[in-house]
Amino acid sequence: MMDRLYLVIPCYNEEEVLPETSRRLEAKLKELIGAGQISQDSRILFVDDGSKDRTWELITALHQTNPMMEGLKLAHNRGHQNALLAGLMTAKDRADMVISMDADLQDDIGAVNAMVAQYHQGCDIVYGVRSDRATDTAFKRGTAQAFYRIMSFLGADMVYNHADYRLMSRRALEGLAEYQEVNLFLRGIVPMIGYKTATVEYSRGERFAGESKYPLSKMINFALDGITSLSVKPIRFITLLGFLIFSASILMLVYFLAVHFLGHTVPGWTSIVVSVWAIGGLQLLSIGVIGEYLGKIYLETKARPRYRIETLLTHDPQ
């Protein structure tokens, strides 16, 4: 028997794109089934992350009229990463391989064929990697590249220009299930799983309809989550900075004592004010960085559920 594929699609207020997304994904599954690449029991799982529009109503209608379509409704909005994890963990015991992608049709569905081919060649994880960023604005392109460079500098093992468009085998998903972080950053966690991996390049298109669900504020929070989830180097930088400032203060103490005993003491109002503001700013920055980590620890120790499933629509026996 051929292996069973699940497409996991997180959705938040996606009523404008769902009809076209479901049509294209269904056509892709039928193409792969016709080519003998996947099982006829392959499915598309839409995950509704607490949408406020008609997203769940459309998912329910698709499920009722099409045996390929399944739906998962979360009890409330938990964010893209938790919604994606909910879909992956739901599909884990039902599929041999799972491909995750966004609902906005920016990810090239044509790359699914190459991902499945890599799976059949023995790869447990196949990353969809953007071949270019021609569709991004100069600001988004610059900040994205800066983010990947910073993450690399901090020692995070991430795939450059990869978002959450990837294939994972059941074995890889079982490995992912062992990671229990409340503060999820899947782009950094998945490479930790190991196993044989491959990459597939694709060109990212424009959003088919609707508005982006990742404004600047969410992008900044997402980047901070990634940094604090994968690296403790910022805290080490604070330690190093403190050591350097302490060393500089010892040198300045020696200098001021020498000036005092030589009788060349002069009023130093400017240097004092500058020093107070500089040290005060560094202290507040350091406290902020440490506080960010303490906040993450606080949330992790609570061990709250990362998501709660309200409804699962499936054609398989429960």
Side-chain angles (χ1 to χ4, degrees), residues 167-185:
L167 178 148
M168 299 181 70
S169 67
R170 178 181 293 184
R171 182 168 70 157
L173 289 171
E174 289 172 349
L176 177 62
E178 296 176 10
Y179 291 81
Q180 298 298 316
E181 284 98 328
V182 173
N183 301 282
L184 277 178
F185 189 71

Side-chain angles (χ1 to χ4, degrees), residues 115 127-131 159-162 165 199-203:
M115 289 183 174
Y127 299 102
V129 176
R130 294 180 62 169
S131 57
V159 179
Y160 186 71
N161 272 345
H162 164 70
Y165 188 20
T199 60
V200 171
E201 290 193 352
Y202 70 97
S203 295

Side-chain angles (χ1 to χ4, degrees), residues 279-318:
I279 298 300
L282 287 173
Q283 287 176 333
L284 289 175
L285 175 63
S286 301
I287 291 171
V289 173
I290 294 172
E292 186 72 22
Y293 279 94
L294 286 175
K296 292 292 190 293
I297 294 172
Y298 173 71
L299 293 175
E300 293 290 344
T301 55
K302 284 179 173 291
R304 289 173 175 171
R306 291 175 288 188
Y307 56 83
R308 189 174 299 281
I309 296 174
E310 179 177 321
T311 308
L312 172 63
L313 303 177
T314 178
H315 295 282
D316 294 337
Q318 298 291 324

Side-chain angles (χ1 to χ4, degrees), residues 62-119:
L62 289 169
H63 169 74
Q64 291 173 345
T65 58
N66 192 328
M68 281 188 173
M69 307 292 175
E70 297 188 348
L72 181 69
K73 181 177 176 59
L74 301 188
H76 62 291
N77 179 257
R78 291 295 296 146
H80 178 272
Q81 296 290 279
N82 284 301
L84 176 54
L85 182 70
L88 294 175
M89 292 300 99
T90 300
K92 174 172 65 70
D93 297 324
R94 301 165 178 265
D96 299 292
M97 53 179 152
V98 175
I99 294 179
S100 59
M101 67 175 68
D102 292 338
D104 55 17
L105 295 176
Q106 287 187 275
D107 296 326
D108 180 14
I109 296 176
V112 168
N113 300 62
M115 289 183 174
V116 173
Q118 290 287 353
Y119 167 81

Side-chain angles (χ1 to χ4, degrees), residues 179-217:
Y179 291 81
Q180 298 298 316
E181 284 98 328
V182 173
N183 301 282
L184 277 178
F185 189 71
L186 293 175
R187 301 180 197 182
I189 293 176
V190 172
M192 297 180 185
I193 298 173
Y195 301 133
K196 184 178 179 181
T197 66
T199 60
V200 171
E201 290 193 352
Y202 70 97
S203 295
R204 189 171 172 84
E206 298 286 349
R207 185 179 175 86
F208 176 75
E211 298 180 353
S212 171
K213 304 306 183 293
Y214 261 89
L216 180 60
S217 59

